[in-house]
Amino acid sequence: MTAHPVSRTTRRAATAALLTTSFLLTACGSGGGSSDSGGGKAQSGGTLTFAVGSDAGCVDPQQVGSNDTIYSVRQLVDSLTDQDPATGKIAPWLAKSWDISSDATTFTFHLRSGVTFSDGSKLTAQVVKDNFDAVPKLGALGTLAEGYLSGVKSTTVVDPLTVKVTFQQPNAQFLQATSTHSLGIESSASAKLTPQEKCSKGVVGSGPFVLKQYVQNQSITLAKRTGYAWGSSRWTKSGEAYLDKVVFKVVPEAGVRAGSLQSGQVDAISSVGKANEAALKGGQVTLQRRANPGVVFGLAFNNSRPVLKDARVRQAIGFAIDRKQIADTVFPTGTQPATSVLAHTTPDYADLSSELTTDTAKAKSLLDAAGWKAGGDGIRTKDGKKLSLTVDWIPNSATNQPALELIQQQLKAVGVGLTLKQLQVTQLAPTLQSGDYDTAWGNVTRADPDILRSSFSTKLANFYRVPVGPLDTALTGQAATTGATQREQLVKQAQQLIVQNAYYAPVVELQTQIGVAKKVHNLNFDASSRIQLHDTWIG
């Protein structure tokens, strides 16, 4: 199968599953999916100041998983492909076209000529090879990128502008993976740095912006890349970005971020919570909302913990959670309760709402059957031990703590104690990797259902310590099939196994909501509900 530039008809029928043609992301709320493009003729220049709630402690796109930092580092690198937010189709970027073998084991990318990195080095097939060869060595923070390249057999330089990636088995997810920030292409010099060096010093990319300064937990400053001329085929502007400079300021308090936007101190803010919606509506601010595809917000169980090895305990926790109450009380307007482990905007999502109901009586019955008896203080006990768990969480969203406090109340009503333990953003990945936790609060965004394999396969990182079983078969199978219908069935089976066995307790779908000053135009969401700033201008 050959994919041609966006101006020509692409031949994708043979591997429709690769291109997630069933995919449709939604944009809602005032402002829709992007800031208003009206307001006169687009103009170059100016500085955009964007307040975010946290800092991941790393400025390497291949290692960052937190939206607040992805917003900035995404601008540093280009990807081989792009993904249309409206249709899910894959579009040219650094690769002007590509060929995929009929069994989806071999992907050959034909690169654009004339692309350079900000250190002056040229984009070649060897650079792509250097990147993909280095990804498996990233370690704890590179699990997303590593998962996308799992099973790779070789990356081969065919000629200076042609690179071939071969997998040991069919890999239906890989084309979409090449559109993500996690596989953004860095210079060969950056690819050869240690993961720690890349995190602290930053990387050299070919993107529309370059990193000027990084002050951990304070700010990330970007400057326009002079001479940039190889943007995504989806972008409306050719050549350099409009903005001269972008400053991402770390402002942990949601109310302070909102006040800064209202007063004009900043031009945009991340993670607008429900409490600040009313104050920001109207006036000179637009609220932009977009549902995130991928694994929904929920309680990720450490399934190897003695208490949590019992599926009845995990299932009871799931039945004790009132998802609608949490979505309506804590999260921004329009947030939907989880109806599967995948958000409804993810390709091959299956509606399992009938299995994700709130039933406190059933929760109590399951705990009774598991031998946990009601205690005098309301927390159940068994063999002299209390049914108390700790949930690790990070302050990268204003909704995290209030959501968990509400879950804490809901679980106590059935006799389960839940202690909230706040970690620094940089601590979460190492904690999950170590296995020294009971449960963790989070989500994982990706516009492809293979995110389930990345998160739950026992053959990969397996942070959640899921036991070997039928789930592995379904996850491996969906990644190996090129048939759209067969892949959909296997993805549905995987969702059912995760929900029925309660390996994870889905709670709410993440809806990204940002606030943007009306003088800012074309601040657009990409297919993963992160921002793209090349077309953004102020006027």
Side-chain angles (χ1 to χ4, degrees):
M1 181 190 71
T2 300
H4 299 286
V6 72
S7 60
R8 299 177 61 187
T9 302
T10 55
R11 302 183 186 118
R12 295 186 170 101
T15 52
L18 289 170
L19 306 181
T20 61
T21 51
S22 63
F23 176 71
L24 180 63
L25 281 172
T26 58
C28 56
S30 60
S34 63
S35 52
D36 183 11
S37 60
K41 184 179 179 181
Q43 50 191 286
S44 295
T47 298
L48 176 77
T49 304
F50 198 120
V52 296
S54 62
D55 172 32
C58 181
V59 280
D60 176 21
Q62 295 179 354
Q63 298 184 77
V64 171
S66 176
N67 279 357
D68 276 348
T69 305
I70 292 170
Y71 289 158
S72 56
V73 298
R74 183 47 170 130
Q75 318 308 320
L76 306 176
V77 292
D78 298 312
S79 297
L80 291 178
T81 64
D82 200 357
Q83 186 175 17
D84 190 313
T87 66
K89 290 184 177 181
I90 306 302
W93 194 341
L94 290 181
K96 60 183 181 181
S97 64
W98 50 86
D99 305 305
I100 304 174
S101 63
S102 59
D103 63 355
T105 59
T106 302
F107 298 73
T108 303
F109 296 93
H110 306 282
L111 306 177
R112 296 173 64 162
S113 61
V115 176
T116 62
F117 294 89
S118 57
D119 63 0
S121 61
K122 294 181 179 180
L123 172 69
T124 64
Q126 182 64 48
V127 175
V128 177
K129 174 178 169 57
D130 290 344
N131 273 256
F132 290 175
D133 286 351
V135 160
K137 305 169 188 175
L138 288 174
L141 295 182
T143 53
L144 282 177
E146 290 169 16
Y148 299 159
L149 282 167
S150 65
V152 68
K153 184 178 180 180
S154 64
T155 301
T156 306
V157 175
V158 178
D159 62 45
L161 292 177
T162 307
V163 61
K164 180 171 68 174
V165 185
T166 303
F167 290 87
Q168 297 169 357
Q169 56 198 12
N171 196 354
Q173 61 83 36
F174 183 63
L175 186 62
Q176 190 276 337
T178 64
S179 72
T180 66
H181 73 279
S182 300
L183 292 186
I185 304 301
E186 303 168 358
S187 71
S188 288
S190 291
K192 292 171 183 175
L193 296 174
T194 67
Q196 293 76 22
E197 288 174 326
K198 291 168 61 171
C199 264
S200 60
K201 298 178 181 178
V203 299
V204 172
S206 65
F209 292 90
V210 296
L211 178 65
K212 295 299 291 183
Q213 186 181 42
Y214 171 46
V215 182
Q216 190 167 348
N217 294 321
Q218 292 186 36
S219 64
I220 296 176
T221 303
L222 312 180
K224 176 166 64 177
R225 168 78 191 279
T226 304
Y228 182 83
W230 39 83
S232 164
S233 59
R234 293 191 50 257
W235 297 350
T236 57
K237 185 185 188 301
S238 60
E240 299 176 359
Y242 288 113
L243 297 168
D244 286 335
K245 186 178 177 182
V246 187
V247 180
F248 290 85
K249 292 185 175 180
V250 180
V251 182
E253 298 82 11
V256 176
R257 289 197 302 275
S260 298
L261 180 59
Q262 283 179 298
S263 65
Q265 292 176 279
V266 301
D267 305 305
I269 62 173
S270 71
S271 304
V272 176
K274 195 177 188 73
N276 300 117
E277 285 180 352
L280 290 174
K281 284 180 179 176
Q284 296 303 308
V285 175
T286 298
L287 295 181
Q288 297 173 208
R289 304 173 184 146
R290 198 165 186 280
N292 283 40
V295 176
V296 298
F297 258 121
L299 295 177
F301 295 124
N302 181 343
N303 289 270
S304 68
R305 284 291 211 229
V307 170
L308 294 170
K309 278 186 176 179
D310 191 332
R312 293 171 296 186
V313 174
R314 303 193 305 267
Q315 290 163 347
I317 291 172
F319 283 119
I321 295 173
D322 187 336
R323 295 165 181 81
K324 188 175 188 304
Q325 182 187 33
I326 295 167
D328 292 348
T329 305
V330 175
F331 286 86
T333 301
T335 299
Q336 296 192 25
T339 51
S340 176
V341 65
L342 289 178
H344 77 280
T345 50
T346 318
D348 298 332
Y349 148 87
D351 185 352
L352 303 178
S353 53
S354 62
E355 300 181 40
L356 290 172
T357 58
T358 303
D359 191 334
T360 55
K362 191 167 186 177
K364 292 177 180 179
S365 176
L366 283 165
L367 293 173
D368 288 340
W372 292 96
K373 306 301 181 184
D377 60 355
I379 304 303
R380 292 173 178 260
T381 61
K382 180 180 179 181
D383 300 330
K385 294 183 179 180
K386 289 184 177 292
L387 182 50
S388 295
L389 301 170
T390 297
V391 56
D392 291 356
W393 66 282
I394 57 175
N396 64 337
S397 173
T399 55
N400 287 348
Q401 185 170 346
L404 287 171
E405 288 173 345
L406 192 48
I407 292 172
Q408 186 180 48
Q409 295 173 24
Q410 294 172 352
L411 294 191
K412 187 173 182 181
V414 300
V416 179
L418 187 68
T419 300
L420 276 57
K421 180 181 178 183
Q422 180 178 332
L423 303 180
Q424 295 177 9
V425 175
T426 55
Q427 292 177 306
L428 183 59
T431 298
L432 294 176
Q433 187 178 42
S434 72
D436 186 19
Y437 73 99
D438 294 332
T439 182
W441 175 255
N443 77 295
V444 189
T445 294
R446 188 186 176 190
D448 190 277
D450 193 65
I451 194 62
L452 293 178
R453 185 173 63 95
S454 303
S455 300
F456 295 98
S457 172
T458 67
K459 300 177 181 179
L460 298 176
N462 197 16
F463 284 162
Y464 310 147
R465 305 306 193 268
V466 176
V468 175
L471 178 58
D472 281 319
T473 303
L475 294 175
T476 301
Q478 64 79 30
T481 182
T482 57
T485 301
Q486 183 183 5
R487 190 183 190 208
E488 180 180 5
Q489 292 171 344
L490 289 167
V491 171
K492 180 178 181 180
Q493 182 184 354
Q495 292 170 79
Q496 291 172 328
L497 287 168
I498 292 168
V499 169
Q500 290 166 2
N501 288 287
Y503 294 134
Y504 187 93
V507 179
V508 296
E509 296 187 357
L510 171 64
Q511 178 179 260
T512 295
Q513 180 169 242
I514 61 177
V516 183
K518 288 189 175 180
K519 68 178 182 179
V520 178
H521 308 274
N522 288 344
L523 199 163
N524 298 319
F525 286 120
D526 65 12
S528 296
S529 298
R530 280 103 181 210
I531 61 172
Q532 177 53 251
L533 297 177
H534 176 269
D535 290 346
T536 305
W537 57 280
I538 297 177

